[in-house]
Amino acid sequence: MKPIKVGLLGIGTVGAGTFNVLQRNQEDIRRRAGRGIEITMVAARNIERAARVTNGACQIVDDPFLVVDSPDVDIVVELIGGYDLPRELVLRAIANGKHVVTANKALLALHGNEIFAAAQDKGVMVAFEAAVAGGVPIIKALREGLTANRIESVAGIINGTTNFILSEMRDKGLGFAEVLKKAQELGYAEADPTFDIEGVDAAHKLMIMSAIAFGIPVQFDKAYVEGISALQADDIRYAEELGYRIKLLGITRRSTVDGVEGIELRVHPTLIPTSRLIANVEGAMNAVLVEADAVGSTLYYGKGAGSEPTASAVIADLVDVTRLATVDPYCRVPHLAFQPNEMTDVSILPMADITTSYYLRVYVNDQLGVMADLTRILADAGISIDAVLQKGNRGDERTDIIMITHQTREKKVDAAIERIEALSSVVGKVIRIRLETLS
Amino acid sequence: MKPIKVGLLGIGTVGAGTFNVLQRNQEDIRRRAGRGIEITMVAARNIERAARVTNGACQIVDDPFLVVDSPDVDIVVELIGGYDLPRELVLRAIANGKHVVTANKALLALHGNEIFAAAQDKGVMVAFEAAVAGGVPIIKALREGLTANRIESVAGIINGTTNFILSEMRDKGLGFAEVLKKAQELGYAEADPTFDIEGVDAAHKLMIMSAIAFGIPVQFDKAYVEGISALQADDIRYAEELGYRIKLLGITRRSTVDGVEGIELRVHPTLIPTSRLIANVEGAMNAVLVEADAVGSTLYYGKGAGSEPTASAVIADLVDVTRLATVDPYCRVPHLAFQPNEMTDVSILPMADITTSYYLRVYVNDQLGVMADLTRILADAGISIDAVLQKGNRGDERTDIIMITHQTREKKVDAAIERIEALSSVVGKVIRIRLETLS
């Protein structure tokens, strides 16, 4: 089957990420989608830069309307940002019968109702996983994963810039202005950071999640939006003393006021008990906590912005559209993610061949030279030690020696343990527990 | 459109949860699926008990083959557990052209290849979100949310029983046997806990995730499985001292050994640095950490077992199958989760009407009676105080008084703040930050 043809509107950070990931993982993506996905056309203001990024792989034009009107495009990916031009382009793509993928939260928070209605009339798809929380599939979770539930609330750290600033303010005890400057230098905040720091970006994302959670139309003018620019270092410190962390949280929740049901929809700095998992989401990471009646609390965590994390969501939408639009009806989503004729036969490794770190506990007669014997055996086996802990005896002359190794092959560790257990000073078996840094 | 007809095989804990959630949320579910979902037939060993649970709402039989052969059933939900009988029933349902939803990880980890091939041949769907991590939509995330990525590893706390036991051993410094007994009394561990504590249940789930992540067939006999029954309280304590927490982790990962690509597939007690989010998943909760090349790290967290959390996943699959099998091709998954003609017009609340807790910081001249004035104003407004912190002066005669309130309506707080700011002892504006316990 011929690849499905994609036209990109804009090839900045996210566009370039989308191009690169689609190229790099094209085999895996084709095996999953059941069909190749190919960018055939790109609209860019800077044609030369676009040509460098795409390296001659596709047609480049400076007029985005040429892409939405092209018969050589099945799916339009809108990555321009802003409101008016994208609205016009997306509506025209829909009118032309093309599916649309967009990462534009502002567009959907303001013009979503119009766009979705047009898509519905025309029978095309509009997909927007990348609009909220970057690569974290939170739209899919709310829209498809939690369909059994009456959703009670959604609360999210959905702006990485502000979360980075708040983490730094707390860590270093610095004021807002100072940290913002640093964030701008590091590229975590834009030259004009207003949309991020005043909560507007988070509110756009929250509006979209609220509509999906509760089945209401988007209505951004009703959102309450308060940013972090007025937050003082003192309050972050006091909150910490009281057992709380301050986060810029987007919250939407069912609420009954004077007997009438309504929806809370608000973005503002919020104290959260430090013991909550979401309070420990630091730096530029995002997390969304959903409360629902059947499933209880679920949390979704990951990078909320950046070139490839956002591209991950754009491409997931492209695969969804491709699976739905083209593959035969009963294998649109393969049981095991990859199409049945596209499985691989790479083998499962025996444990002897896995590589990880190890916690070793050796119970020894506390005599001269034991530690030297142990470290010699590990050194001989090429196993290096990360940490050692020696724990005083339990009322006898014996001691626990605990060693944490760096990464090594399991068969090396097992051979070393055999030698250690053969030492006369060692009592019983060595306790070996594997260690993963998961970093 | 007529409701889609579902036949349940088994109505124990998960079956009853599925029945109850489908009944309770039937309106929301129909609005999302575009069609009602109705349990028309149930097979149960204890017919009287099943009749009580379903309260006469559907036909009850004792022979499960009557359900898989019934023309009155479109989707068969297999909740019997075990291997042989479910295998036979599922294959017969498929042969009869019925879609299948199952929560049975053991069945899929051992017979998945045969079942998926039969479904593929017959053009029906087999869905199994409930088989891994209960209500957390991790299958959907791996299979649809992360399709852009080359997945590098999946690591999960995917057995609630063992995580509960490890949390208790650490918290209370108790031994394994003692905690297991307590877990059994609390219903967190079964009378015969072997499958859980020896890691078999986790390995079944890991096998399924590995197949989806890497596009390999299920091959459970290759999994390395080590449980927690031999774990000693000493090691949990030593690990803690060294900055690690011990979890029963299922890990599957790409790995190249001597130049050949292979897959690690292993379940065993594992030390994890305490600073990692996943190390702080306590009690019976589950979490899965996925590393992938484009998106980076994403984490999915929630209840991994229990009646309604598991039912949440079963019903999400029923909605998926219903959307795919019956609704017109271009609105199978509605843009905003609910079908376009099924949105509601419940209104967004003004901030004055929201209810939350508040952090209030008042900067005061440190004079007699200030605290009395503040607390009197709050009491008059019906706002109760959860905590107070008074911070010594900044080189002047003034003091910060910080108060944390219990939940109250925002308009009450704003009115109280107005009164507080009018006090002669109060300097400047009151700082007010909202507080959410997210519990």
Side-chain angles (χ1 to χ4, degrees):
Chain A
M1 196 183 291
K2 279 194 199 164
I4 201 161
K5 291 168 287 184
V6 176
L8 280 194
L9 307 180
I11 189 155
T13 309
V14 176
T18 302
F19 184 87
N20 291 334
V21 174
L22 262 179
Q23 285 245 315
R24 188 173 72 230
N25 294 341
Q26 59 180 313
E27 254 313 282
D28 272 13
I29 293 168
R30 187 193 56 73
R31 287 170 57 216
R32 289 182 174 119
R35 182 173 174 188
I37 298 176
E38 203 172 285
I39 295 177
T40 51
M41 208 170 172
V42 173
R45 265 182 304 195
N46 185 334
I47 291 202
E48 276 169 37
R49 190 181 163 280
R52 273 200 307 279
V53 171
T54 59
N55 201 19
C58 48
Q59 188 189 351
I60 296 166
V61 296
D62 61 358
D63 178 2
F65 287 94
L66 292 177
V67 173
V68 301
D69 290 340
S70 168
D72 203 35
V73 164
D74 303 311
I75 309 174
V76 169
V77 177
E78 186 276 306
L79 301 169
I80 294 179
Y83 307 89
D84 294 339
L85 178 61
R87 174 179 161 275
E88 205 181 330
L89 287 164
V90 164
L91 289 173
R92 182 131 139 207
I94 290 168
N96 287 336
K98 299 186 193 308
H99 305 293
V100 172
V101 172
T102 178
N104 191 333
K105 41 253 169 198
L107 177 70
L108 297 178
L110 272 82
H111 303 298
N113 301 331
E114 180 186 19
I115 289 168
F116 300 141
Q120 190 70 18
D121 285 350
K122 195 69 188 181
V124 297
M125 285 173 262
V126 174
F128 49 90
E129 185 62 77
V132 183
V136 182
I138 182 64
I139 297 294
K140 189 171 275 289
L142 287 169
R143 196 183 52 196
E144 302 167 40
L146 303 179
T147 45
N149 294 266
R150 178 179 157 95
I151 294 176
E152 298 298 340
S153 70
V154 179
I157 296 171
I158 43 181
N159 180 277
T161 303
T162 45
N163 203 53
F164 173 83
I165 291 173
L166 293 176
S167 289
E168 288 287 298
M169 285 175 75
R170 181 178 72 85
D171 269 9
K172 317 231 154 98
L174 298 175
F176 172 80
E178 203 170 340
V179 175
L180 172 61
K181 195 154 161 281
K182 185 180 159 199
Q184 285 172 319
E185 283 161 14
L186 289 169
Y188 285 121
E190 303 197 32
D192 177 358
T194 315
F195 258 43
D196 290 317
I197 64 173
E198 296 308 343
V200 180
D201 174 74
H204 286 149
K205 295 166 179 166
L206 184 67
M207 180 71 257
I208 295 170
M209 291 198 288
S210 183
I212 295 177
F214 304 122
I216 57 171
V218 298
Q219 40 198 307
F220 186 69
D221 56 318
K222 305 278 179 53
Y224 173 81
V225 189
E226 180 185 325
I228 63 165
S229 56
L231 211 57
Q232 297 177 33
D234 280 346
D235 293 304
I236 292 177
R237 193 160 41 78
Y238 292 150
E240 202 76 18
E241 281 187 46
L242 289 157
Y244 298 90
R245 206 150 287 173
I246 300 184
K247 296 290 181 187
L248 182 68
L249 218 58
I251 300 170
T252 185
R253 165 187 294 154
R254 292 180 194 275
S255 186
T256 301
V257 175
D258 305 331
V260 180
E261 201 192 16
I263 307 279
E264 299 184 3
L265 183 72
R266 47 194 173 97
V267 171
H268 51 68
T270 313
L271 279 78
I272 311 170
T274 314
S275 58
R276 303 275 177 270
L277 217 52
I278 197 170
N280 294 284
V281 170
E282 299 293 352
M285 303 303 280
N286 280 19
V288 178
L289 177 67
V290 183
E291 294 285 340
D293 69 341
V295 74
S297 301
T298 54
L299 182 131
Y300 308 84
Y301 165 90
K303 291 204 182 86
S307 174
E308 293 209 351
T310 311
S312 172
V314 168
I315 296 169
D317 279 347
L318 288 174
V319 173
D320 265 9
V321 172
T322 303
R323 281 169 168 172
L324 273 166
T326 53
V327 184
D328 94 275
Y330 292 115
C331 66
R332 285 196 185 86
V333 180
H335 297 109
L336 294 178
F338 293 82
Q339 301 291 333
N341 57 339
E342 296 285 358
M343 305 296 271
T344 60
D345 60 356
V346 51
S347 66
I348 308 289
L349 293 172
M351 281 306 278
D353 277 342
I354 71 128
T355 295
T356 187
S357 304
Y358 294 84
Y359 163 104
L360 303 176
R361 172 155 65 98
V362 192
Y363 192 36
V364 299
N365 289 311
D366 196 6
Q367 64 197 45
L368 207 68
V370 181
M371 189 67 92
D373 289 343
L374 295 178
T375 49
R376 167 56 47 209
I377 289 173
L378 292 177
D380 285 352
I383 299 166
S384 62
I385 299 175
D386 179 50
V388 175
L389 181 69
Q390 178 159 350
K391 295 305 285 188
N393 59 46
R394 320 177 187 176
D396 55 20
E397 291 302 302
R398 294 170 176 175
T399 305
D400 274 324
I401 295 178
I402 295 109
M403 291 172 293
I404 292 193
T405 76
H406 284 293
Q407 290 226 328
T408 182
R409 192 84 69 87
E410 179 144 320
K411 62 175 135 199
K412 286 190 189 176
V413 169
D414 286 345
I417 287 174
E418 209 170 306
R419 286 190 59 197
I420 289 172
E421 288 173 350
L423 292 174
S424 63
S425 51
V426 168
V427 183
K429 292 284 189 189
V430 172
I431 303 221
R432 182 206 62 183
I433 310 176
R434 299 171 189 91
L435 183 158
E436 296 281 344
T437 54
L438 300 178
S439 63
Chain B
M1 197 183 291
K2 279 195 201 164
I4 201 161
K5 290 169 289 182
V6 177
L8 281 194
L9 307 180
I11 187 155
T13 308
V14 177
T18 302
F19 184 88
N20 291 334
V21 174
L22 263 179
Q23 285 244 315
R24 187 173 72 231
N25 294 340
Q26 60 180 313
E27 254 312 284
D28 272 13
I29 293 168
R30 186 193 57 72
R31 287 169 58 214
R32 289 181 174 121
R35 182 174 174 187
I37 297 176
E38 202 173 286
I39 296 176
T40 51
M41 208 172 171
V42 173
R45 267 183 303 196
N46 184 336
I47 291 202
E48 277 170 35
R49 191 181 162 279
R52 272 200 307 279
V53 171
T54 57
N55 200 18
C58 48
Q59 188 188 352
I60 297 165
V61 295
D62 61 358
D63 178 1
F65 286 95
L66 292 177
V67 173
V68 300
D69 290 339
S70 167
D72 203 35
V73 163
D74 304 312
I75 309 174
V76 170
V77 178
E78 186 277 304
L79 300 170
I80 293 179
Y83 308 88
D84 294 339
L85 178 59
R87 176 179 160 274
E88 205 181 329
L89 287 164
V90 164
L91 289 173
R92 182 130 138 208
I94 291 169
N96 287 335
K98 298 185 193 310
H99 305 294
V100 172
V101 173
T102 178
N104 191 332
K105 42 254 170 196
L107 176 70
L108 297 178
L110 272 81
H111 304 297
N113 301 332
E114 181 186 16
I115 289 168
F116 299 143
Q120 190 70 20
D121 284 349
K122 195 69 188 183
V124 297
M125 285 173 260
V126 174
F128 49 91
E129 184 62 78
V132 182
V136 182
I138 182 63
I139 297 295
K140 189 172 275 290
L142 287 169
R143 195 183 53 198
E144 303 167 40
L146 303 179
T147 44
N149 294 267
R150 179 178 156 94
I151 294 176
E152 298 298 340
S153 70
V154 179
I157 296 172
I158 44 182
N159 180 275
T161 304
T162 44
N163 203 53
F164 173 82
I165 291 173
L166 293 176
S167 288
E168 288 286 300
M169 285 175 74
R170 181 177 72 85
D171 269 9
K172 317 232 155 95
L174 298 174
F176 172 78
E178 203 169 341
V179 175
L180 172 61
K181 195 154 161 281
K182 185 181 161 199
Q184 285 172 318
E185 283 163 13
L186 289 170
Y188 284 120
E190 304 197 30
D192 177 358
T194 314
F195 258 43
D196 290 317
I197 64 173
E198 296 309 342
V200 181
D201 174 75
H204 286 149
K205 295 165 179 168
L206 184 67
M207 179 71 257
I208 295 170
M209 290 197 290
S210 183
I212 295 177
F214 305 122
I216 58 171
V218 297
Q219 41 198 309
F220 186 68
D221 56 317
K222 304 279 179 54
Y224 173 81
V225 189
E226 180 186 326
I228 63 165
S229 56
L231 212 57
Q232 297 176 35
D234 280 346
D235 293 304
I236 292 177
R237 194 161 39 80
Y238 292 150
E240 202 76 18
E241 280 186 47
L242 289 157
Y244 297 91
R245 206 150 287 175
I246 300 185
K247 296 290 182 188
L248 182 69
L249 218 58
I251 301 171
T252 185
R253 167 185 294 155
R254 291 181 194 275
S255 187
T256 301
V257 175
D258 306 330
V260 180
E261 201 192 16
I263 307 280
E264 299 184 3
L265 184 71
R266 47 193 173 98
V267 171
H268 51 68
T270 312
L271 279 78
I272 310 170
T274 314
S275 58
R276 301 276 177 270
L277 217 52
I278 196 170
N280 294 284
V281 170
E282 299 293 351
M285 303 303 280
N286 280 20
V288 178
L289 178 66
V290 183
E291 294 286 340
D293 69 341
V295 73
S297 301
T298 53
L299 181 130
Y300 309 83
Y301 165 89
K303 291 204 182 84
S307 174
E308 293 209 350
T310 311
S312 172
V314 168
I315 297 169
D317 279 346
L318 288 174
V319 172
D320 265 7
V321 172
T322 303
R323 281 169 168 170
L324 273 166
T326 54
V327 183
D328 94 276
Y330 291 116
C331 66
R332 284 195 187 88
V333 180
H335 296 108
L336 294 178
F338 293 81
Q339 301 293 332
N341 57 341
E342 296 283 359
M343 306 294 272
T344 59
D345 59 355
V346 51
S347 66
I348 307 290
L349 294 171
M351 280 306 277
D353 277 340
I354 71 129
T355 295
T356 187
S357 304
Y358 294 85
Y359 162 105
L360 304 176
R361 172 154 65 98
V362 191
Y363 193 35
V364 299
N365 289 311
D366 196 8
Q367 64 197 45
L368 206 69
V370 181
M371 189 67 92
D373 289 343
L374 294 178
T375 50
R376 167 57 45 208
I377 289 173
L378 292 178
D380 286 350
I383 299 166
S384 62
I385 299 175
D386 180 50
V388 175
L389 181 69
Q390 179 158 350
K391 296 304 285 189
N393 60 45
R394 322 178 188 176
D396 54 20
E397 290 304 300
R398 293 169 176 175
T399 305
D400 275 323
I401 295 177
I402 295 109
M403 291 172 293
I404 291 193
T405 76
H406 284 293
Q407 290 226 328
T408 184
R409 193 83 70 84
E410 180 144 321
K411 62 175 133 197
K412 286 190 189 177
V413 169
D414 285 345
I417 287 174
E418 208 170 305
R419 287 189 58 197
I420 290 171
E421 288 173 350
L423 293 173
S424 63
S425 51
V426 168
V427 183
K429 290 286 190 188
V430 172
I431 302 222
R432 182 207 62 184
I433 310 176
R434 298 170 190 91
L435 182 158
E436 296 281 344
T437 54
L438 301 178
S439 62

